[in-house]
């Protein structure tokens, strides 16, 4: 069975600082991996995804993530945080013949000035 | 192209009442999903459908029923609502590659 663990339910950074949101997955088959962002009282927006190919994936809003098979990780990073990045972030996994996305419990990112 | 739409956006029910949430997609997607989102729990899969006329249980199916009579619609029913079903419900759809889901805006349901 697949699963996702997001380390840290709440991460706080200063504006301009590095953002690092951690995600580890468990999957018996090569995974598809995703990061979604949710702003307050809104739906989910896809930030980026890894399916096959290049392990460093660039997404929207300056975010990127690197698939590391040996570490079973797919951490999300952004070099310089902006106030508008404050939101909840979800990591998700599915398999190639999967039935649905399996989500982590989410990480709330706070950005202070 | 509206993507995935959900009706209603908000609803308040009393314990024991029934209701149906409607999800519609205009992308000709085969796969549709219902999730619920609760604080600290992420999104959990309730039911899903891999095509018109098919449905299957997800992680938390108890207390819910679904139907996929038309390819573009996926209905989620609560026969007898309970306070534990207070949640935000998201519908999603995906194309043949099933690489990811396109999510609807959500329905906020409160059961008193």
């Amino acid at each position: 069975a697949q699963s996702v663990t997001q380390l840290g339910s709440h991460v706080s950074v200063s504006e301009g600082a590095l953002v690092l949101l951690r995600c580890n997955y468990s999957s018996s088959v090569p995974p598809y991996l995703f990061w979604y962002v949710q702003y307050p009282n809104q739906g989910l927006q896809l930030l980026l995804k890894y399916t096959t190919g290049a392990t460093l994936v660039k997404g929207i809003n300056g975010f990127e993530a690197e698939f590391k098979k040996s570490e079973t990780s797919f951490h999300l990073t952004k070099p310089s945080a902006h106030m508008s990045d404050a939101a909840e972030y979800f990591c998700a996994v599915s398999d190639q013949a999967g039935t649905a996305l399996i989500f982590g419990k989410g990480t709330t990112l706070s950005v202070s000035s | 192209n509206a993507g995935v739409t959900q009706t209603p956006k908000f609803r308040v029910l009393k314990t024991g009442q029934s209701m149906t949430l409607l999800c519609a997609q205009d992308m000709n997607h085969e796969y549709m999903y219902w999730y619920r989102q609760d604080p600290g729990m992420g999104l959990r899969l309730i039911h899903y459908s891999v095509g018109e006329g098919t449905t299957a249980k997800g992680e938390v199916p108890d207390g819910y029923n679904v139907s996929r009579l038309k390819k573009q619609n996926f209905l989620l029913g609560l026969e007898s609502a309970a306070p534990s079903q207070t949640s935000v419900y998201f519908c999603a759809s995906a194309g043949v590659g099933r690489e990811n889901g396109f999510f609807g805006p959500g329905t906020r349901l409160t059961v008193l």
Side-chain angles (χ1 to χ4, degrees):
Chain A
Q2 295 174 306
S3 66
V4 173
T5 301
Q6 291 185 239
L7 300 175
S9 59
H10 199 158
V11 171
S12 298
V13 300
S14 300
E15 194 172 21
L18 171 71
V19 175
L20 171 60
L21 304 182
R22 300 177 186 273
C23 173
N24 289 90
Y25 70 91
S26 172
S27 178
S28 59
V29 298
Y32 288 168
L33 295 160
F34 309 86
W35 276 100
Y36 284 86
V37 61
Q38 184 181 35
Y39 298 101
N41 298 314
Q42 294 191 24
L44 277 76
Q45 180 181 6
L46 180 66
L47 273 178
L48 50 81
K49 64 180 179 182
Y50 168 80
T51 55
T52 58
T55 57
L56 181 62
V57 181
K58 295 187 184 299
I60 62 172
N61 301 339
F63 285 93
E64 63 182 35
E66 186 172 9
F67 169 57
K68 292 187 176 181
K69 184 178 179 180
S70 61
E71 299 177 9
T72 61
S73 69
F74 191 58
H75 301 332
L76 182 70
T77 61
K78 182 175 181 177
S80 178
H82 192 272
M83 297 293 285
S84 61
D85 295 326
E88 190 160 20
Y89 292 80
F90 293 95
C91 182
V93 64
S94 72
D95 62 39
Q96 294 187 22
T99 54
L101 298 176
I102 305 299
F103 284 86
K105 294 184 177 182
T107 298
T108 300
L109 176 66
S110 299
V111 182
S112 58
S113 58
Chain B
N1 190 335
V4 179
T5 58
Q6 293 182 230
T7 308
K9 289 184 171 55
F10 302 94
R11 186 72 185 268
V12 178
L13 291 178
K14 294 181 179 179
T15 297
Q17 288 185 317
S18 63
M19 77 163 294
T20 300
L21 283 67
L22 170 64
C23 175
Q25 52 94 5
D26 60 2
M27 296 172 283
N28 201 36
H29 283 168
E30 290 294 328
Y31 310 110
M32 297 187 75
Y33 314 96
W34 275 107
Y35 293 89
R36 61 176 288 174
Q37 182 181 23
D38 302 291
M41 300 296 292
L43 279 80
R44 294 179 292 170
L45 183 67
I46 305 171
H47 286 280
Y48 63 95
S49 169
V50 299
E52 182 178 320
T54 73
T55 62
K57 295 180 179 180
E59 181 185 356
V60 288
D62 293 343
Y64 305 95
N65 56 75
V66 288
S67 64
R68 183 100 181 266
L69 298 179
K70 294 182 178 180
K71 186 177 183 179
Q72 64 267 34
N73 295 337
F74 194 30
L75 279 63
L76 178 71
L78 286 73
E79 291 184 349
S80 180
S84 61
Q85 294 177 304
T86 294
S87 187
V88 180
Y89 292 85
F90 286 100
C91 176
S93 71
V96 174
R98 284 186 289 186
E99 291 180 353
N100 60 273
F102 291 83
F103 282 81
T107 294
R108 188 174 296 273
L109 175 66
T110 301
V111 182
L112 302 176

